[in-house]
Amino acid sequence: QKEVEQDPGPLSVPEGAIVSLNCTYSNSAFQYFMWYRQYSRKGPELLMYTYSSGNKEDGRFTAQVDKSSKYISLFIRDSQPSDSATYLCAMPFNNDMRFGAGTRLTVKP
Amino acid sequence: DAGVIQSPRHEVTEMGQEVTLRCKPISGHDYLFWYRQTMMRGLELLIYFNNNVPIDDSGMPEDRFSAKMPNASFSTLKIQPSEPRDSAVYFCASKSTDTQYFGPGTRLTVL
């Protein structure tokens, strides 16, 4: 079993839809949880960063962490075609990072 | 700051040739990471350095791969000899705290 599991999709939604992206993890030592966004032919860039269980909101994006279930989510409200990208969950650990496989999202106009 | 800089952005070479990928991390960052990304395997950590010293190279696939960091502002990843299965996008990333900042990647194609 991988330390971080993420459905690679692809996921296709119409513009304006609410998108839910999810990861599960097995290592209870993970303390920080990140979401990276990667546009086609670009490097991943940090989108959101959370520490504790609960929700963190940033504009149309909400990151949710449930440590008891070892489950994290990223919600995108009012999705836009510009949100089309691959989203990777990531957990810093021992000075490096454990990445999910990434979910490829397409938002259709 | 210009961010993490990688060169070349694209490299096409023939099997058996030596390939050298280059990275300039963000100034002041004391960690540098090399990753490989493919559709099949996703993002894989190859090696990382702390203060120019290799810390974990367990992800380096074979002896054909080597990485160096001669100073705080430069690192190389070398593949010798290259093989078609090495075709991938290679990313360099650097960090000073928990957040890693990625370069634009080098797209390597080995024919």
Side-chain angles (χ1 to χ4, degrees), chain A residues 36 38 41 43 49 94-95, chain B residues 31 33 37 91 98 100 107:
Chain A
Y36 278 78
Q38 184 177 18
R41 297 185 177 269
Y49 182 166
N94 286 346
N95 293 314
Chain B
Y31 284 86
F33 303 81
Q37 187 177 43
F91 288 103
D98 284 317
Q100 291 188 21
R107 184 171 295 272

Side-chain angles (χ1 to χ4, degrees), chain B residues 50-80:
Chain B
N50 178 218
N51 292 323
N52 313 337
V53 176
I55 302 301
D56 183 355
D57 65 354
S58 59
M60 296 286 261
E62 300 168 35
D63 290 345
R64 298 184 296 106
F65 286 68
S66 62
K68 293 181 180 179
M69 192 165 185
N71 58 63
S73 59
F74 184 67
S75 178
T76 59
L77 178 68
K78 187 175 293 186
I79 308 173
Q80 166 63 19

